[in-house]
Amino acid sequence: MKKFFTFAVVAMIASVAFGQALKSVQRTEKVAATMKEAFVSSSTVTNKHMVAPKAAPIEFEATSASAQYYASDGDWFIVLSNGTTGFRFDVVTNSSAPLEFDHTYTLDDMDPGYSWFGPNANNAVDYSAATLTPKQGNEGTDYEANVTLTNGTSYHITYTAGPKQTVEVVATSASAKYYEEDGDWYVVLEDASNTFRFDIVTNDPTPLQLGHTYTLADMVAGYSWFGPTSTSAIGYSAAELTPKQGAAGVDYEATVTLTNGNVYHITYTSAPLPEPTETVEVEFTPDETDLVDASATQGIIQFSGLKEATGFEVYVALITDQVAGEYTFEDVYSTYTALYLSTDDYDGVDCIDLKATVTEFNNGSYKAVVDYLGANTVLYKMTFNYGDVPTGINDIKTVSTKVVKMIENGQVVIVNGDARYNILGQPVK
């Protein structure tokens, strides 16, 4: 499979944007029952038939609780956890209204395929019986639950909601990528311990509007969540994200309320771009260059170049209504911009800054001079020659003519090709 899809003139090809991990769906936390590995309890073989006394339930105090409604399934997905392991209850209500206080939901009310105990899906144990009761607590929703696992172990689970505090997070990195197939901007803010994702639907590859606050109503909730991975994700019950013009790029400010009630205030200040550690110059001949001009129909152009011998391959897509012009990183269409170092390079090099000058010639040819600063801090200075591009003066080969001096009518005449001069350098007939 080709590692990158080029921009299509008639219809955009649905593709995964270069250099981006696939958007993880929070839904992954709800795994199918077929993925589970039920534990088998061990027993001691004897020659007597003995009935073991029924053990008292193990007391389990959950330190966190989350509740997420999945409209596609009509169910509330409740997770009670102590940070290491947890209990999941998939209560089918076919209503986005929160679960009823003081009502006890049983296993008959749940989808058993998504109701299980364990640290993750690969070490999960199903329930043979389960009850879940939400209660109105002093600081939010409390829970009490009782489960019996298929291996016979029983648990009594309690959770008491504590006071909610706003946690201040200073993000150390930020990324924003546009997904053509979904028409959304996917923004990720993170530090060493926290990752926040915002999936903002704009149906427009133009960068997010600076100074505008996007709310959860502008986002796809299933792709907007908190957590290091999708298997430990917590959704948002409220969210705001505001891109701002910073001194060195785009800054962000965001506030999210998780479905477990915790509130986070996140700020990100853009840092100056790194100085290039190396410069690589590459020129693509007309045979190595291609141009897709959809400026009039879809507001985008794309230059691409390929060095067959090494596999060095580049795609530069720009948002514009014409081909020729001056362009910056703000004009880059990230979904269709990519750089690969070799045939075996499937990860590529992200573009963190770009400047381009595209010149048009009378014969419909173009020369694009592009400075592409990669995330590897290498500056790739590339020239794309499309069509019959005139060569530079240094590339023109000239044929020298022999200079001859002769005497004509008693005067010295200097002959240089078809030109004739006197001794003073004046033209003569």
Side-chain angles (χ1 to χ4, degrees):
M1 178 181 293
K2 189 171 180 61
K3 54 195 171 187
F4 185 82
F5 291 101
T6 59
F7 180 82
V9 177
V10 179
M12 298 182 184
I13 301 174
S15 64
V16 177
F18 158 74
Q20 298 168 343
L22 287 171
K23 295 184 292 185
S24 298
V25 187
Q26 185 183 348
R27 178 71 184 177
T28 307
E29 168 68 8
K30 296 177 64 175
V31 295
T34 55
M35 295 178 61
K36 301 176 185 175
E37 297 178 1
F39 291 145
V40 178
S41 59
S42 59
S43 61
T44 302
V45 178
T46 68
N47 56 3
K48 297 181 179 179
H49 179 71
M50 300 180 63
V51 178
K54 186 175 181 179
I58 298 172
E59 293 293 330
F60 183 97
E61 184 176 353
T63 56
S64 69
S66 65
Q68 178 74 32
Y69 181 70
Y70 287 85
S72 57
D73 298 332
D75 52 16
W76 279 92
F77 191 56
I78 314 300
V79 180
L80 305 179
S81 172
N82 64 358
T84 302
T85 191
F87 297 84
R88 293 152 180 84
F89 305 89
D90 194 67
V91 183
V92 180
T93 64
N94 293 311
S95 172
S96 60
L99 296 181
E100 184 181 348
F101 288 136
D102 298 319
H103 178 80
T104 298
Y105 298 88
T106 69
L107 193 58
D108 290 337
D109 301 312
M110 305 175 193
D111 184 338
Y114 294 123
S115 303
W116 47 275
F117 163 75
N120 52 56
N122 292 325
N123 296 285
V125 186
D126 289 321
Y127 305 151
S128 60
T131 63
L132 175 72
T133 306
K135 300 179 179 182
Q136 179 62 69
N138 294 329
E139 301 291 347
T141 302
D142 299 342
Y143 291 95
E144 183 175 7
N146 292 278
V147 302
T148 300
L149 307 183
T150 53
N151 63 11
T153 305
S154 296
Y155 288 87
H156 176 239
I157 307 107
T158 56
Y159 169 76
T160 302
K164 307 306 178 186
Q165 297 180 347
T166 299
V167 181
E168 293 289 336
V169 175
V170 178
T172 54
S173 70
S175 65
K177 299 291 184 180
Y178 183 71
Y179 284 78
E180 177 62 44
E181 65 271 27
D182 297 329
D184 51 15
W185 278 92
Y186 195 55
V187 180
V188 180
L189 306 178
E190 59 186 337
D191 65 4
S193 305
N194 305 282
T195 303
F196 302 86
R197 296 164 176 82
F198 306 87
D199 192 69
I200 302 171
V201 180
T202 63
N203 293 309
D204 186 352
T206 304
L208 296 177
Q209 182 180 346
L210 299 179
H212 178 76
T213 298
Y214 298 88
T215 69
L216 191 59
D218 302 312
M219 306 176 192
V220 178
Y223 292 126
S224 303
W225 47 273
F226 162 78
T229 64
S230 59
T231 55
S232 57
I234 303 176
Y236 304 149
S237 60
E240 291 184 348
L241 176 73
T242 307
K244 301 179 179 181
Q245 181 60 63
V250 179
D251 297 345
Y252 292 95
E253 182 174 7
T255 302
V256 299
T257 301
L258 307 185
T259 54
N260 63 10
N262 292 330
V263 179
Y264 288 83
H265 179 241
I266 310 107
T267 55
Y268 170 77
T269 302
S270 54
L273 291 170
E275 290 294 326
T277 57
E278 182 183 357
T279 299
V280 175
E281 296 187 6
V282 181
E283 181 161 1
F284 296 99
T285 67
D287 290 340
E288 298 170 331
T289 301
D290 192 18
L291 167 64
V292 175
D293 180 8
S295 56
T297 56
Q298 301 186 47
I300 183 174
I301 64 172
Q302 183 193 58
F303 280 92
S304 60
L306 171 63
K307 294 290 183 182
E308 291 281 0
T310 61
F312 186 93
E313 191 172 11
V314 183
Y315 302 86
V316 175
L318 302 168
I319 302 170
T320 178
D321 59 1
Q322 61 185 24
V323 178
E326 301 282 339
Y327 302 98
T328 67
F329 187 66
E330 293 299 316
D331 303 308
V332 171
Y333 197 145
S334 59
T335 304
Y336 296 100
T337 297
L339 185 151
Y340 300 97
L341 299 175
S342 67
T343 305
D344 298 327
D345 179 12
Y346 287 87
D347 295 325
V349 180
D350 266 321
C351 180
I352 60 176
D353 194 30
L354 183 139
K355 294 180 181 178
T357 300
V358 181
T359 303
E360 181 178 8
F361 299 96
N362 292 332
N363 56 2
S365 301
Y366 297 93
K367 180 186 288 289
V369 179
V370 179
D371 285 356
Y372 183 116
L373 180 58
N376 57 359
T377 68
V378 174
L379 177 61
Y380 298 91
K381 299 181 74 67
M382 298 174 293
T383 302
F384 300 86
N385 296 286
Y386 179 77
D388 187 16
V389 178
T391 57
I393 189 65
N394 294 332
D395 296 328
I396 298 176
K397 295 182 179 180
T398 60
V399 179
S400 61
T401 58
K402 185 177 180 180
V403 179
V404 179
K405 293 182 181 180
M406 60 181 63
I407 302 296
E408 291 184 358
N409 300 323
Q411 293 183 346
V412 176
V413 177
I414 301 172
V415 180
N416 186 357
D418 295 332
R420 297 160 61 83
Y421 306 92
N422 61 23
I423 193 67
L424 298 177
Q426 298 170 333
V428 296
K429 295 182 179 179

